[in-house]
Amino acid sequence: MQSERFGSNRLSAPAAARDALVALVLLALLLSSGCAHPTSRNDWSTYTGPGKAYFVQEELEFPDVPDPLEPTNRGVAAFNRGLMVYVADPVATAWRRVVPQPVRSSLFRAFENLGYPARLVNNLLQAKFRGAGDETLRFLSNTTLGLVGLFDPARSWWGIQPSDEDMGQTFATWGWHNSTFLSLPLFGPSTARDGLGTLGDMPLDPTFYFFPAGAAKTLVTGSEQIDDAKRMLQTHFDAYQAIRYIWVLNRRVLTEDYEYEPAQSSAPETLENVFFTFQDPWFGRKAKTRKVEIPATGRKLAYEVWMQPQPAPMVFILPGLGAHRESKNALALAEMAFRDGFSAVTVSSALNFDFMENAATTDVPGFPPADASDVHAALDAIDRDLADRYPDRITSRVLMGMSMGAFHTLFIAAAEQDTAVERVDFDRYVALYPPVRFEPGMKELDAFYNAPLAFPEQEREDRVIGILQKVVDLAGDHDLEPGNPIPLSDLEAEFLIGLSFRMTLHDMIWVSQERHDMGVLKTPRGRFRRAPASREILEFSFMEYLYAFALPYYQQRDPEITSAEELFARADLRSIAPALRSNGKIQVFSNANDFLMTPEDIEWITDLLGAENVTFYPKGGHMGNLHLPEVQRDVMNSLGDLQ
């Protein structure tokens, strides 16, 4: 993530956009008292069916971000998205290809240096005299010794950090704390307070008075963030919702001058998975995005492919639970394989909106045998498509999955014995950090999400917001890198892991019920007003989802599934143990302290596949050591005989 946070740097806008900005801010002020549609709910207190205990147990109530102008905001956000994809992205891409990174970084610093007047005035208006002094020292030293700001000797030589204040923060200091969320044309996420603050900051920006300078600033400062912004829009089912939360939390961090105490205990190693990402910033753009028709659905599923210039083995990559084919982990695995001479393909998870909408034959995902069968069918269609496009270029085939993708990989490996259906077979199956049992894993994710229930009820919401603020603040921390401890407590880390998967569950429920409304949800769902329905959906845990949606759905489809116990038994690797044992092409990599594995699971899978085919590292949590070169080397060495 760029060190420049959402909202910490204002982008210049053409004069023609200012009228629209003023109009939107005034509209927000006039309508901010409007009420959103209420959230309706089932009365689970009267429920007597399977899994009743899960529907009555206490669940964490996630803090809400009010959005009374949601329909208008979503419309503006859609306009901004089109502008970014069709205008900003091509221009920024051309700029980044032509201008070397060191030059771009220097120009970025120079434009930041020109923001001194606004930062000085706002520090003074907030009575932050030390911040005003630091900004003055930074401006003088960077303008002279730093050659008009191209370099930053104030930070690198004397450690003088920026004191980045804007008019929105000034208004907050003066007492305007809660404000209506807004999406503004060209400017993106904001609030009524921060929108007016932007107007106040404009006259203090020297580039405001010269259109070429303002346009240049927009290009220089925005081009470095375009890839992350575009990937967020493409990989999230509802990027608007995610951006709204990130913006509001970030503004709270900035306006409250949030500071945190370092955690007393080390965070679970699982969070070090954030360091597993692609190294080449252009790697994602080097892929060819192809689409293939899925015979069972008649729809076209997109996939990403990186082809070696000469014949090579192909690695088909399945990402984790709910992940998109362009997620950072998926791209990192593809880069890892491509770097070692393999061609690579990424496809979205069976529990991702992309796959659910185009390749799933079932309306409700979450039953691994059915999900894996759909994935296998999609991989077969992709393999045939590649064979037509690149004849004689694939010398062998590897299926590599991580987490839930690894779980599906093992179900697909077991299906090799099924000769009734002809689908692509693979020369190697690599399962990275798979669970062995589905039900305990879902319970663990629910427990992680509910970790803040340990806080006193009267403190809970503030403590949860504090955790989220801490994460937003850490996102811009240059010290957050491999080898340095992540300053989060065990509880904080568990909650963040649980929250991430809970948001994935939200998207699964939304898409599945758009395909086939089972009548479980009671709040109307609209294209431009989604917040009330989202609040209802976010109240479902994984176990509640399995009992309220998955169990009744699959009981109707399969008469042999007569109970939840039968559903869970068939979603367990033990149910396919003979087929896995007889398949000699499986390699498993995991960690002894993976929260999805128990000591019994480790012993069972090692005995089943043989110690020579299973690698358990002593630590690393769930995927937390995949960024380590030695682990990546072990994974790729397991494929060495295929080259």
Side-chain angles (χ1 to χ4, degrees), residues 347-620:
V347 61
S348 296
S349 164
L351 287 76
N352 180 269
F353 68 93
D354 180 41
F355 193 96
M356 291 172 63
E357 291 174 340
N358 298 297
T361 61
T362 62
D363 299 320
V364 180
F367 182 46
D371 296 339
S373 178
D374 282 345
V375 171
H376 200 176
L379 293 172
D380 183 72
I382 292 170
D383 182 64
R384 294 174 188 271
D385 188 51
L386 290 170
D388 290 340
R389 294 178 182 273
Y390 308 101
D392 303 320
R393 294 275 296 279
I394 302 176
T395 59
S396 58
R397 293 162 177 80
V398 176
L399 182 58
M400 180 181 294
M402 64 180 89
S403 191
M404 182 59 74
F407 202 48
H408 292 158
T409 293
L410 294 175
F411 273 93
I412 292 171
E416 263 198 20
Q417 290 188 347
D418 185 1
T419 58
V421 180
E422 290 189 10
R423 289 176 179 168
V424 58
D425 288 335
F426 296 89
D427 300 284
R428 191 66 42 82
Y429 298 89
V430 181
L432 305 175
Y433 314 93
V436 167
R437 295 173 294 158
F438 186 64
E439 181 189 12
M442 299 303 98
K443 288 181 178 178
E444 193 74 359
L445 293 179
D446 287 340
F448 278 12
Y449 174 77
N450 286 311
L453 291 178
F455 297 138
E457 184 175 359
Q458 64 273 19
E459 301 176 11
R460 194 171 296 155
E461 181 173 341
D462 288 341
R463 298 286 291 273
V464 168
I465 290 175
I467 296 172
L468 298 175
Q469 288 179 300
K470 187 173 183 179
V471 173
V472 171
D473 194 58
L474 286 171
D477 189 349
H478 291 283
D479 293 330
L480 192 63
E481 57 186 30
N484 292 343
I486 299 176
L488 294 168
S489 70
D490 293 340
L491 185 151
E492 291 169 339
E494 288 175 358
F495 169 64
L496 293 172
I497 294 167
L499 174 61
S500 174
F501 285 105
R502 184 60 65 94
M503 300 308 294
T504 297
L505 176 62
H506 166 278
D507 295 350
M508 287 167 50
I509 294 175
W510 189 289
V511 177
S512 74
Q513 296 310 289
E514 287 296 293
R515 286 187 53 152
H516 173 58
D517 194 332
M518 299 173 63
V520 178
L521 302 178
K522 301 304 180 184
T523 308
R525 300 182 299 280
R527 180 180 179 184
F528 287 97
R529 183 163 309 269
R530 307 177 61 151
S534 287
R535 284 192 289 271
E536 180 187 7
I537 292 174
L538 282 171
E539 294 176 2
F540 281 88
S541 67
F542 275 97
M543 292 306 296
E544 288 172 326
Y545 169 77
L546 292 173
Y547 279 101
F549 297 93
L551 178 60
Y553 178 80
Y554 286 100
Q555 281 182 321
Q556 290 182 352
R557 289 173 60 93
D558 188 343
E560 294 185 6
I561 300 179
T562 58
S563 64
E565 290 70 26
E566 176 62 24
L567 183 81
F568 296 141
R570 290 173 60 177
D572 189 318
L573 292 185
R574 288 172 175 80
S575 67
I576 53 174
L580 292 176
R581 187 189 300 275
S582 62
N583 188 322
K585 300 181 289 184
I586 299 173
Q587 290 285 328
V588 172
F589 294 86
S590 190
N591 297 317
N593 64 342
D594 189 330
F595 64 80
L596 293 181
M597 285 273 195
T598 66
E600 293 76 19
D601 293 335
I602 294 173
E603 181 180 0
W604 176 83
I605 200 168
T606 302
D607 290 342
L608 180 75
L609 300 178
E612 68 279 8
N613 298 315
V614 176
T615 301
F616 278 95
Y617 301 97
K619 60 181 183 177

Side-chain angles (χ1 to χ4, degrees), residues 8-13 95 107-108 110-119 201-202 204-208 210-224:
S8 61
N9 298 292
R10 298 295 184 188
L11 303 184
S12 300
W95 165 260
L107 290 174
F108 185 95
F111 277 115
E112 284 294 283
N113 194 52
L114 289 176
Y116 163 71
R119 294 192 295 271
D201 286 330
M202 280 181 175
L204 300 173
D205 184 351
T207 66
F208 173 75
F210 306 98
F211 172 69
K217 179 181 179 181
T218 298
L219 174 64
V220 169
T221 58
S223 63
E224 301 305 312

